[in-house]
């Protein structure tokens, strides 16, 4: 299965039969190279990627400044050290799940809830981690 298929069929899927989808999604290598993305995913700048990777290694790194993704600033909320970063911006947010080789990004807006986004992104992240990816 191609990386684009994972984005299209697993990250950008219909959530729980509601007809709702994530706003944007991507799979990005730890080095910042984009493996696959939805057409709506923002261009991530190298310094933004560096900040995200640093926060996985040093949880709380982004808390004072916020998480930047394509120039959009998200307030960092709870996550899981070295596994998940979650951010909130207005009625939307972002979930980033780290695997051995990649980061999975899910961006959402209402009516998608934070919990639905977390479930979609983290479920695929757990699967890819089990595969050693």
């Amino acid at each position: 299965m191609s990386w684009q298929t994972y984005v299209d069929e697993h990250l950008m899927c219909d959530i729980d039969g509601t007809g709702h989808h994530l706003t944007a999604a991507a799979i990005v290598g730890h080095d910042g190279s984009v493996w696959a993305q939805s057409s709506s995913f923002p261009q991530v700048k190298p310094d933004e990627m560096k900040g995200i990777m640093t926060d996985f290694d040093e949880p709380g790194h982004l808390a004072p400044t916020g998480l930047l993704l394509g120039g959009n600033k998200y307030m960092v909320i709870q996550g899981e050290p070295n596994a998940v970063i979650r951010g909130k911006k207005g009625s939307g947010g972002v979930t980033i799940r780290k695997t051995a080789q990649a980061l999975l990004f899910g961006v959402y807006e209402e009516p998608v809830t934070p919990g639905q986004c977390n479930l979609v992104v983290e479920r695929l992240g757990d699967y890819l981690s089990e595969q050693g990816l």
Side-chain angles (χ1 to χ4, degrees), residues 56-106:
F56 277 115
D57 294 335
E58 303 168 26
H61 170 77
L62 291 174
T65 59
L67 182 154
L68 288 172
L69 185 65
N72 293 310
K73 187 174 182 177
Y74 295 85
M75 178 178 65
V76 178
I77 54 177
Q78 98 282 358
E80 298 167 31
N82 210 30
V84 179
I85 298 172
R86 298 183 186 104
K88 184 92 172 119
K89 179 181 185 224
S91 62
V94 61
T95 301
I96 307 169
R97 170 69 162 85
K98 182 180 180 189
T99 69
Q101 298 179 28
L103 300 180
L104 283 67
F105 290 82

Side-chain angles (χ1 to χ4, degrees), residues 85-129:
I85 298 172
R86 298 183 186 104
K88 184 92 172 119
K89 179 181 185 224
S91 62
V94 61
T95 301
I96 307 169
R97 170 69 162 85
K98 182 180 180 189
T99 69
Q101 298 179 28
L103 300 180
L104 283 67
F105 290 82
V107 179
Y108 68 93
E109 291 290 337
E110 284 186 340
V112 174
T113 66
Q116 289 172 319
C117 180
N118 295 343
L119 187 65
V120 167
V121 174
E122 293 173 34
R123 185 171 32 196
L124 180 58
D126 292 346
Y127 170 77
L128 293 175
S129 289

Side-chain angles (χ1 to χ4, degrees), residues 10 13 15 22 43 56-57 112 129:
H10 296 280
C13 63
I15 298 172
L22 297 180
Q43 179 68 43
F56 277 115
D57 294 335
V112 174
S129 289

Side-chain angles (χ1 to χ4, degrees), residues 31-80:
D31 62 358
S33 60
V34 176
W35 294 4
Q37 65 183 21
S38 65
S39 60
S40 53
F41 192 75
Q43 179 68 43
V44 179
K45 298 173 182 71
D47 57 326
E48 294 173 342
M49 189 66 186
K50 183 176 184 236
I52 291 166
M53 289 303 294
T54 300
D55 197 77
F56 277 115
D57 294 335
E58 303 168 26
H61 170 77
L62 291 174
T65 59
L67 182 154
L68 288 172
L69 185 65
N72 293 310
K73 187 174 182 177
Y74 295 85
M75 178 178 65
V76 178
I77 54 177
Q78 98 282 358
E80 298 167 31

